[in-house]
């Protein structure tokens, strides 16, 4: 793995944020603001960033924009944080090319989501993820998100994929703790929670960290949650979890992209509006998000 040396058992770090993609007032990618966001996230407690994912609006950014974003983030924080480039698509050949592009741009790792819309069979998932992992010499984080992709990565499939030397971790947004526990017990795959309200429950069955959306505003609290749990103070970890309930509520009001762009705006950072078909929070939603964040003690400008 290029860049930072990974922690034992945590190939991509501990607290990662699925970073937004900032746009200017004309809707163009703004690499300079992306660097400001990346630096703020690392300063705020994150030791890893995932770029060009769902929260980064990957379905509506071009391949060239994806490359520019990876380069900008690596330049800004690559010596301080692990930069993981999401390369997942429903086209294996395209994902392989994005993987090679990410390597050239300086990414430290790759994330590959289950191919969406086409709903491939499990054998197709094995071929797809293997093809991505074979595309270049970077470690791979599998993203299991059946709600978006339409198909889950089954346990037996994960056990097979774990045999590939480059496939080292799973970002789970499936929420099947029994399945995840079995995979962790039978393989060396590291699990990262990919659904913020489940961060604490996933720690209880062996997850090593988070790939978060709310890390845009509470990265320090997520690190405290992880630190207290791993120190054996489950009561303190639960207290942090309860304190984050208003932030989870804010996230659920409008979805990840609109939430983070609203939250960043409320904190004085202009990151632009989402690209269609996503739409920004309306005035009432924005006021509700502001109230939720204030209730959780998040500083607003």
């Amino acid at each position: 793995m290029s860049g930072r040396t990974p922690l034992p058992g945590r190939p991509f770090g501990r607290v990662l944020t699925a970073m937004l993609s900032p746009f200017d007032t004309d809707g163009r990618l703004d690499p300079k603001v992306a660097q400001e966001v990346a630096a703020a996230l690392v300063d705020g407690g994150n030791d890893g960033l995932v770029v060009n994912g769902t929260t980064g609006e990957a379905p509506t950014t071009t391949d060239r924009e994806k490359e520019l974003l990876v380069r900008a983030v690596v330049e800004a924080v690559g010596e301080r944080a692990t930069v993981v480039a999401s390369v997942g698509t429903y086209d294996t050949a395209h994902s392989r090319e994005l993987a090679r592009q990410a390597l050239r741009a300086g990414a430290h790792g790759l994330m590959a989501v289950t191919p969406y819309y086409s709903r491939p069979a499990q054998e197709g998932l094995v071929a797809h993820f293997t093809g991505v992992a074979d595309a270049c010499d970077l470690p791979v984080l599998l993203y299991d998100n059946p709600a978006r992709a339409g198909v889950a990565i089954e346990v037996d499939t994960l056990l097979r994929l774990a045999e590939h030397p480059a496939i080292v971790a799973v970002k789970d947004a499936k929420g099947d703790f029994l399945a995840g526990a079995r995979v962790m017990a039978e393989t060396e795959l590291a699990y990262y929670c990919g659904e913020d309200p489940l961060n604490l429950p996933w720690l209880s069955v062996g997850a090593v960290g988070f790939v978060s959306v709310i890390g845009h505003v509470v990265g320090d609290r997520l690190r405290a949650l992880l630190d207290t749990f791993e120190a054996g103070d489950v009561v303190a970890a639960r207290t942090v979890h309860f304190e984050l309930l208003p932030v989870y509520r804010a996230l659920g009001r409008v979805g990840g992209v609109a939430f983070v762009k609203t939250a960043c705006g409320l904190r004085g950072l202009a990151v632009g509006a989402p690209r269609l078909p996503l739409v920004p929070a309306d005035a009432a939603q924005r006021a509700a998000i502001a109230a939720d964040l204030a209730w959780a003690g998040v500083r607003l400008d």
Side-chain angles (χ1 to χ4, degrees):
M1 180 176 178
S2 59
R4 300 176 68 247
T5 301
L7 297 169
R10 292 178 168 87
F12 302 107
R14 302 171 76 231
V15 178
L16 295 84
T17 284
M19 184 178 142
L20 61 81
S21 293
F23 305 129
D24 64 20
T25 54
D26 294 320
R28 296 172 299 198
L29 181 74
D30 193 328
K32 183 177 183 299
V33 173
Q35 292 185 319
E36 295 174 7
V37 172
L41 290 174
V42 176
D43 291 343
N46 290 276
D47 59 358
L49 300 175
V50 176
V51 297
N52 295 325
T54 306
T55 310
E57 300 182 68
T60 56
T61 57
T62 67
D63 288 2
R64 175 59 176 158
E65 288 175 321
K66 290 178 172 64
E67 180 181 10
L68 288 172
L69 188 59
V70 173
R71 289 189 184 278
V73 173
V74 169
E75 180 182 331
V77 300
E79 295 299 318
R80 298 195 290 144
T82 304
V83 180
V84 180
S86 178
V87 298
T89 72
Y90 49 35
D91 175 356
T92 304
H94 188 197
S95 291
R96 284 170 56 84
E97 178 52 41
L98 289 176
R100 291 186 285 263
Q101 173 180 280
L103 174 65
R104 294 192 297 269
H108 305 143
L110 307 174
M111 185 175 78
V113 70
T114 311
Y116 41 90
Y117 186 74
S118 52
R119 297 172 60 90
Q122 294 297 305
E123 200 63 37
L125 297 186
V126 172
H128 174 82
F129 289 127
T130 300
V132 173
D134 287 342
C136 67
D137 186 23
L138 286 176
V140 176
L141 171 68
L142 302 178
Y143 185 13
D144 190 3
N145 190 339
R148 290 186 181 274
V151 60
I153 311 175
E154 295 179 0
V155 168
D156 288 345
T157 302
L158 287 165
L159 298 181
R160 290 174 62 187
L161 290 168
E163 297 174 2
H164 194 292
I167 296 175
V168 297
V170 177
K171 173 187 174 184
D172 188 280
K174 182 167 57 182
D176 187 334
F177 298 108
L178 179 60
R182 180 182 165 195
V183 174
M184 285 183 270
E186 298 184 29
T187 75
E188 297 299 316
L189 291 176
Y191 260 65
Y192 290 84
C193 178
E195 194 170 358
D196 276 307
L198 300 182
N199 283 335
L200 181 57
W202 266 114
L203 291 180
S204 73
V205 295
V208 301
F210 320 126
V211 180
S212 173
V213 175
I214 66 171
H216 283 89
V217 292
V218 289
D220 56 341
R221 231 89 68 86
L222 294 177
R223 182 165 291 275
L225 174 64
L226 187 54
D227 286 345
T228 52
F229 183 86
E230 293 191 338
D233 193 344
V234 178
V235 173
R238 189 169 61 235
T239 298
V240 176
H241 174 66
F242 288 163
E243 290 171 350
L244 291 173
L245 291 177
V247 187
Y248 303 148
R249 183 171 62 241
L251 172 64
R253 290 184 186 279
V254 291
V257 175
F259 164 75
V260 297
K261 292 203 160 180
T262 299
C264 285
L266 289 168
R267 303 186 84 196
L269 186 59
V271 293
R275 285 181 176 171
L276 290 171
L278 299 180
V279 295
D282 61 29
Q285 291 167 333
R286 182 181 174 87
I289 290 169
D292 290 335
L293 294 180
W295 183 259
V298 176
R299 181 189 59 80
L300 305 177
D301 286 349

